[in-house]
Amino acid sequence: MTLPRVRFAPSPTGMLHVGNARTALYNWLFARRLGGQFILRIEDTDLERSETRYEGQLIEDLRWLGLDWDEGPGVLGEPDKGVVGPYRQSERLDIYARHTEQLLAEGKAYRCFCTPEELEAERALAIADHLPQVYSGHCRNLSHAAIDHNLVAGKPFAVRLRIGTDSLRFHDIVRGSVDFPAETISDPILVRSASSVSAGVPVYNYVVTVDDALMGITHVIRGDDHISNTPKQVAIYQAFGWPVPEFAHLSTILGSDRERLSKRHGATSISTFRQMGYLPEALANYLGLLGWGAEDGKSETFTLEQLAKVFSLERVTPSPAIFDFDKLNWLNRHYLKLADPERIAKLAERQFTRHRPDIFPLWASDELHTAEMQVFLASQDPPIQLNSLSKELIDQRKAWFASLLALFLPKVDHLDQLPAKSAAIFGFDVEAARVEPENAAVLAVDSARTVLSELASRVRAHSGHVTPEIFKLWLNEIKDATGIKGKELFHPARIALTGFHSGPEFEKVLPLIEDGATLGLGIPTVRERIERFVGV
RNA sequence: GGCGCUAUCGUCUAGGGGUUAGGACGUGAGAUUCUCAAUCUUAAAACCCGGGUUCGAUUCCCGGUAGCGCUACCA
């Protein structure tokens, strides 16, 4: 048996969407599982909508997800890999033209001189009669004389495939046998007429078939919006006498309202998830699970490598799936825990730099030297300089940042939530803290007032630095002196210290604040916080 | 209008002619902690409807309904 060859064939008309990313992933997994080849082909025949900049983005997104391909366009400047190229449809126009000539010469295709108006009228009639919309076959058997006459007269024509009268059936790995009655399909257009904007450009259903056949694709794995196109494509394979591949149509990904997943449901493009601080392994795992289940019915966490060992198209679900952000978040938290802390630190630093450019960067890590980041830093007002710090200070800041992450990472679904979640350290805002309803409720209690005034008098009486040890000592003294303990003691104290009534333990937060304050990050000290809050 | 695809907890799914219909996310409760997060324990939660086949259907068949897709000289 020959090894399978599959392809992912996106059109570069926008960002890579999670639905397409899943299609790419399943193609890749199928090929890797069976030791076959995975090919990337760019479908840019829609010249009006295609943009080359999207091709680069596409390639970047696929690589970020962890996918690679054996044939197709390479990274910038690299030539295409593979020998059945070119891998951009816009570079294959002569190939299609040659095949059209062949079909015409063999009488398997013919010129159709019908005008759009005539066809529209036919269609209207069919709908009125509750009949399938099919082409009447008006130009199917024109005499040579009539054809020549039209040609000489310069009448524009499209090229249509002459198909048989049998019903068309194909096998789908996900859905079984799918068939279409003969009377519902008619001679499809292969090449657009000169009267259309894209004169002489072959249509999608035609080029995709020619490409798949010439590239030796054995399994066509794609979205289920192509099911209805498949019979036309099968007819084209048959006209050329090419072997018909296996098909596998993947169901649509829907939003929570069961509508097709779109921007209004939240993030949908791979690059957006990346920016939000999702890990590629989490997204790949989630997409792998969306429409596919492991054989044991239980396993859920897979690396790409693990998935590539167990994936099979037979276990792909045919029904549409709703994209569940909660489950993605769970997987992301899972991988955040497993990931190398240094890697997470770099990613987290980028998020802080984006959201808190007043404080970050803490150090000039390699991550911040990307072109994208440079543009961002330079665009800030005032522009941010990547300062050259002493190695000692950099190491101290790195260690401090690591302990910050240890404290706040368990609280986030994705990395871009980190700046907001760690506001206890970076965002000490007395007014906001007082006004926040739950805080206000805590502070309104008499015992809370007592705690704050006790704290205030101790700060006044103490002239030096308020170390974590001293602060904890104070809390104990206040407890002993007033009998206030538990949350009545801790909550007001925490508000005064961090602006939040709940959060990590004092044992962890206090050193973080004090150490951070000494690293030149503009973080107020324990003393400054209390003074500001109680108005000393 | 025509044609096609789909239908198990709220969601992703396992299963399959007789099962306590399994797992996960989410949700509720409890443990832990001053609190939040994390963690652990635990609970509630599903076979779209109607016929048929069968001793027996959630499972097989037919129909309905609903959702989605295609219905272009878009991709």
Side-chain angles (χ1 to χ4, degrees), chain A residues 361-395:
Chain A
L362 293 188
W363 60 84
S365 79
D366 297 344
E367 272 300 294
L368 293 173
H369 285 290
T370 62
E372 182 199 2
M373 219 8 124
Q374 293 291 345
V375 171
F376 173 78
L377 294 172
S379 71
Q380 295 302 301
D381 185 25
I384 295 170
Q385 303 286 329
L386 289 183
N387 44 6
S388 46
L389 305 166
S390 74
K391 183 170 187 317
E392 193 190 1
L393 187 54
I394 289 177
D395 286 344

Side-chain angles (χ1 to χ4, degrees), chain A residues 35-288:
Chain A
Q37 273 107 39
F38 176 55
I39 296 157
L40 178 65
R41 185 174 72 222
I42 306 294
E43 308 217 324
D44 56 355
T45 43
D46 186 359
L47 295 171
E48 289 175 34
R49 288 198 292 159
S50 295
E51 287 190 40
T52 44
R53 72 189 168 99
Y54 286 130
E55 186 185 312
Q57 178 71 247
L58 204 61
I59 287 176
E60 198 183 321
D61 289 345
L62 289 171
R63 288 191 191 283
W64 177 75
L65 256 190
L67 307 188
D68 55 3
W69 43 99
D70 305 296
E71 297 175 28
V75 270
L76 255 55
E78 268 179 44
D80 289 359
K81 288 189 283 184
V83 294
V84 293
Y87 294 90
R88 283 178 201 81
Q89 289 185 331
S90 59
E91 295 166 12
R92 298 173 62 81
L93 264 19
D94 57 321
I95 297 175
Y96 312 131
R98 219 156 52 229
H99 284 81
T100 308
E101 285 312 312
Q102 180 193 337
L103 249 22
L104 244 18
E106 291 173 355
K108 289 171 176 165
Y110 60 92
R111 294 177 178 84
C112 174
F113 296 94
C114 295
T115 64
E117 294 72 30
E118 288 166 342
L119 296 172
E120 186 48 49
E122 274 185 15
R123 214 169 292 135
L125 227 58
I127 290 175
D129 288 348
H130 297 195
L131 292 169
Q133 296 174 42
V134 290
Y135 174 55
S136 65
H138 178 266
C139 299
R140 205 167 200 256
N141 296 305
L142 289 182
S143 68
H144 285 292
I147 294 171
D148 288 343
H149 177 80
N150 284 334
L151 253 22
V152 170
K155 281 187 80 171
F157 62 87
V159 177
R160 281 186 192 268
L161 182 72
R162 193 188 302 275
I163 62 168
T165 53
D166 295 337
S167 66
L168 282 170
R169 159 180 308 193
F170 67 90
H171 179 255
D172 190 300
I173 299 172
V174 177
R175 291 148 212 278
S177 171
V178 182
D179 38 355
F180 292 78
E183 57 273 22
T184 63
I185 53 172
S186 58
D187 297 353
I189 301 268
L190 262 26
V191 182
R192 297 177 180 88
S193 78
S195 65
S196 86
V197 199
S198 318
V201 177
V203 304
Y204 167 80
N205 278 315
Y206 180 43
V207 300
V208 77
T209 306
V210 171
D211 288 343
D212 285 343
L214 262 33
M215 292 181 177
I217 303 302
T218 58
H219 300 258
V220 174
I221 305 167
R222 64 199 343 176
D224 67 355
D225 47 335
H226 291 285
I227 291 179
S228 302
N229 291 327
T230 309
K232 293 175 196 165
Q233 296 172 10
V234 169
I236 296 170
Y237 282 103
Q238 289 170 345
F240 282 108
W242 290 328
V244 179
E246 286 279 317
F247 293 95
H249 287 101
L250 274 24
S251 64
T252 324
I253 297 180
L254 308 175
S256 49
D257 53 3
R258 300 193 170 272
E259 303 260 349
R260 236 193 159 122
L261 188 71
S262 71
K263 267 134 287 166
R264 106 197 126 64
H265 297 104
T268 54
S269 75
I270 298 303
S271 54
T272 305
F273 283 105
R274 178 187 191 169
Q275 276 174 17
M276 291 172 74
Y278 283 94
L279 298 179
E281 58 267 43
L283 195 56
N285 194 155
Y286 178 67
L287 257 17

